[in-house]
Amino acid sequence: MSARTKARKRALDMLYAADLREVPVERVLADEAERAAGEPERQASWLYAREIVDGVIDHRAEIDELITSHSRGWTLERMPAIDRAVLRIAVWEIVHNDEVPDGVAISEAVEAVTVLSTDDSAGFVNGLLSAVAGDRS
């Protein structure tokens, strides 16, 4: 597993935990930063995970608007929490991180929901993210 894939998983864990526990993402990020300080072997994944989470925090309104405007018949609140977190990460990568090709962001997101979410999530996430990426072209 690549360092970026590990970082996405780490960012996903933080966003998902904050959502489920109904606490600010910043608090979960601070807790994870303390933990990361004691794990120098995981430094590479921590740096990108933090960049992702900071990016989602900084652009949350825009990201959520893009998700909402491209979802058909689904509000953010109705989506599984894991799907919301995966979508927020992937939309941030598509819109705000030029180092990650759109196809990679989409593929990683689809893989995550295939493993972690409902049977219908992969198609939903793929379609929504493809629409977001298509709008940027």
Side-chain angles (χ1 to χ4, degrees):
M1 185 182 305
S2 76
R4 283 210 170 166
T5 298
K6 289 177 186 175
R8 285 183 192 94
K9 171 74 171 87
R10 208 165 177 177
L12 177 60
D13 290 346
M14 286 185 273
L15 293 173
Y16 181 69
D19 198 4
L20 281 187
R21 294 187 334 208
E22 297 179 350
V23 297
V25 177
E26 294 85 351
R27 189 158 108 200
V28 174
L29 183 62
D31 292 345
E32 185 66 16
E34 278 186 43
R35 185 171 154 222
E39 299 174 335
E41 70 280 359
R42 296 176 64 195
Q43 188 66 19
S45 70
W46 164 245
L47 294 175
Y48 189 56
R50 181 175 195 123
E51 182 180 350
I52 292 168
V53 174
D54 283 339
V56 169
I57 291 167
D58 292 346
H59 301 283
R60 177 80 170 261
E62 175 194 12
I63 290 167
D64 285 357
E65 174 56 33
L66 285 167
I67 293 169
T68 300
S69 67
H70 288 90
S71 63
R72 296 193 178 131
W74 287 86
T75 62
L76 272 172
E77 296 76 26
R78 193 170 159 225
M79 293 175 196
I82 198 74
D83 292 6
R84 277 193 303 270
V86 167
L87 286 167
R88 285 173 174 148
I89 290 167
V91 169
W92 175 80
E93 284 189 317
I94 291 167
V95 175
H96 295 285
N97 188 348
D98 293 333
E99 293 177 13
V100 176
D102 294 352
V104 171
I106 294 167
S107 177
E108 291 272 343
V110 169
E111 176 65 24
V113 296
T114 297
V115 172
L116 300 171
S117 195
T118 70
D119 291 340
D120 296 329
S121 291
F124 174 74
V125 165
N126 186 53
L128 190 149
L129 294 174
S130 294
V132 170
D135 282 355
R136 289 178 15 100
S137 300

